Amino acid sequence: MSPTAHNRVEVLHGANLDMLGRRDPEHYGNLSLVELETAVKRFGRELDLEVAFFQTNHEGEFIERLHRLPDAADAAIVNAGAWTHYSWAIRDALEIARLPAVEVHLSDVSKRERWRRQSVLEGLVITSVSGKGPDGYREALSLLREALGV
């Protein structure tokens, strides 16, 4: 399938996700970000989706990427890290992008600190997948594939 066939998904990783492999393995597993992205790319190929990645520790860069996202992708997986729980600016930028999106968290945020249980992305995303490690990205890709009609 060609990239113009509405099968492009961008995975956006926010603050501290570049530290995977060095963060608490109980919550985040042992994979580095590169290893996680390799697995997600493989999941995408299995589902006939073209997957690209973006990571930043700078909220403004994350927002600007969301502004440009409709030119680069047809859908998004968003793991904004801690920004998920308080960045109304990221929520606004995702709303402007107007793409199907799924929120993903490696850890089960519902069983962690109280502040992690709120998502400012709620209502904009198809759903939130958390606590499934790398398999959460596979689930998100499957949901986006269905939403895109691939």
Side-chain angles (χ1 to χ4, degrees):
M1 190 172 290
S2 71
T4 59
H6 305 293
N7 68 337
R8 303 170 303 163
V9 176
E10 184 150 323
V11 180
L12 295 99
H13 285 124
N16 298 313
L17 284 150
D18 59 327
M19 293 290 106
L20 290 177
R22 294 176 55 191
R23 295 185 77 183
D24 182 352
E26 180 182 329
H27 292 299
Y28 302 105
N30 294 311
L31 294 180
S32 69
L33 182 59
V34 170
E35 292 168 326
L36 174 63
E37 289 178 348
T38 299
V40 175
K41 191 94 152 161
R42 186 180 68 249
F43 300 156
R45 276 194 307 271
E46 292 168 4
L47 295 168
D48 202 22
L49 297 171
E50 178 184 320
V51 180
F53 300 93
F54 176 81
Q55 190 281 324
T56 185
N57 291 315
H58 303 281
E59 187 176 8
E61 286 181 10
F62 199 90
I63 290 165
E64 289 185 11
R65 184 63 194 160
L66 285 168
H67 289 170
R68 294 188 305 274
L69 197 58
D71 295 328
D74 304 301
I77 293 175
V78 179
N79 184 343
W83 294 327
T84 302
H85 314 295
Y86 69 87
S87 179
W88 294 99
I90 287 176
R91 177 194 169 82
D92 288 348
L94 181 60
E95 185 173 31
I96 291 165
R98 291 196 168 121
L99 293 178
V102 174
E103 175 185 333
V104 172
H105 300 280
L106 291 163
S107 67
D108 186 348
V109 293
S110 72
K111 294 182 178 172
R112 296 190 61 196
E113 302 91 343
R114 179 173 290 148
W115 62 269
R116 291 186 195 270
R117 297 177 195 159
Q118 174 186 331
S119 171
V120 298
L121 305 179
E122 187 176 343
L124 292 180
V125 294
I126 294 169
T127 193
S128 178
V129 179
S130 75
K132 297 182 179 182
D135 286 337
Y137 289 84
R138 181 192 304 265
E139 183 176 329
L141 287 168
S142 293
L143 291 165
L144 290 171
R145 184 178 192 274
E146 184 178 318
L148 294 170
V150 176

